[in-house]
Amino acid sequence: MKFLIFAASHRKESYNRRLAKLAAAHMKSQGARVDFAEYAEFDLPVYNDEIAVSGGVPEAALCFAERAAKCDGIILASPEYNWSYPGSLKNIIDWTSRVKPNRLAGKTALLMSATTGGRGGITGLAHLKTPLEAISFFVFPRVFPLPHADTAFDGKGALADAQKQQLFTGLLNGYTDFTRKLV
Ligand SMILES: Cc1cc2nc3c(=O)[nH]c(=O)nc-3n(C[C@H](O)[C@H](O)[C@H](O)COP(=O)(O)O)c2cc1C
């Protein structure tokens, strides 16, 4: 199994990157291969159909589609912005939807979110599911919202709460089984 893993944040101290790194470490420990991407690798102009028609899909979107196509699934840690997910992430999905043929149909996706707020980005994750399904991902029905992310990690980058850490690894293992069944 191989997974593309990234956080939808450019912030140097991003909590979502920490969560994505934690997921990557666990998946590797279970024998999976991981392609860890930095969000900046998928920086794109705001979607413009004139650019799409005249100049084609930008390199960064082709790169995202290619890297995801080489994997069985993607694991995405996204911040919540104003009760939804970042516009830059929707922009990546919109550009990716213009890459033909769609080699991502039938891939799986696991969604997680670390926020400094108290609800862990649960609303943003519910929103994010929809456009991923529109481009034919099978989105794992369970998600991982991490509230109060500024105090949730220990000094080594793991989750400070042992019960939460157990939930996290259980979720990743469940997602791996789901992917094995589907792809
Ligand atoms: C534009 C903006 C909107 C935000 N909206 C929310 C929100 O709706 N819910 C929430 O829990 N946190 C919200 N936050 C706080 C983020 O959870 C916090 O900045 C978090 O650290 C972002 O993730 P990152 O550390 O991976 O960059 C918002 C932050 C920004 C910059």
Side-chain angles (χ1 to χ4, degrees):
M1 302 251 96
K2 187 175 177 187
F3 298 97
L4 175 65
I5 303 181
F6 67 100
S9 172
H10 291 96
R11 230 164 58 77
K12 282 198 182 78
E13 301 298 328
S14 163
Y15 300 120
N16 284 283
R17 190 186 298 102
R18 285 195 212 176
L19 198 57
K21 289 267 182 201
L22 207 52
H26 180 75
M27 294 313 249
K28 281 184 193 165
S29 78
Q30 301 303 300
R33 287 180 301 144
V34 167
D35 176 6
F36 193 92
E38 284 299 326
Y39 199 43
E41 294 181 76
F42 308 133
D43 276 350
L44 284 156
V46 172
Y47 184 83
N48 176 333
D49 207 57
E50 290 297 330
I51 300 178
V53 171
S54 62
V57 176
E59 193 54 43
L62 296 174
C63 166
F64 174 76
E66 176 66 19
R67 285 170 72 171
K70 285 183 175 155
C71 293
D72 299 293
I74 63 171
I75 299 177
L76 219 172
S78 173
E80 181 175 78
Y81 286 171
N82 299 307
W83 299 2
S84 192
Y85 62 95
S88 56
L89 185 52
K90 178 66 160 51
N91 194 45
I92 293 171
I93 297 169
D94 289 342
W95 274 116
T96 301
S97 73
R98 300 293 97 183
V99 179
K100 302 291 179 211
N102 178 13
R103 290 166 62 211
L104 308 186
K107 305 284 179 191
T108 67
L110 173 64
L111 309 183
M112 46 186 69
S113 179
T115 69
T116 50
R119 296 182 348 117
I122 193 74
T123 312
L125 293 176
H127 293 180
L128 178 53
K129 188 172 185 269
T130 299
L132 288 172
E133 288 179 339
I135 60 170
S136 300
F137 274 91
F138 290 122
V139 180
F140 190 52
R142 284 165 59 214
V143 295
F144 190 78
L146 182 66
H148 307 301
D150 43 338
T151 55
F153 294 92
D154 67 16
K156 291 178 181 158
L159 296 175
D161 181 330
Q163 215 175 352
K164 214 164 255 179
Q165 176 70 35
Q166 212 173 359
L167 252 171
F168 183 65
T169 53
L171 179 83
L172 289 167
N173 295 342
Y175 168 64
T176 304
D177 290 343
F178 171 82
T179 303
R180 198 172 285 120
K181 282 178 195 144
L182 285 171
V183 298

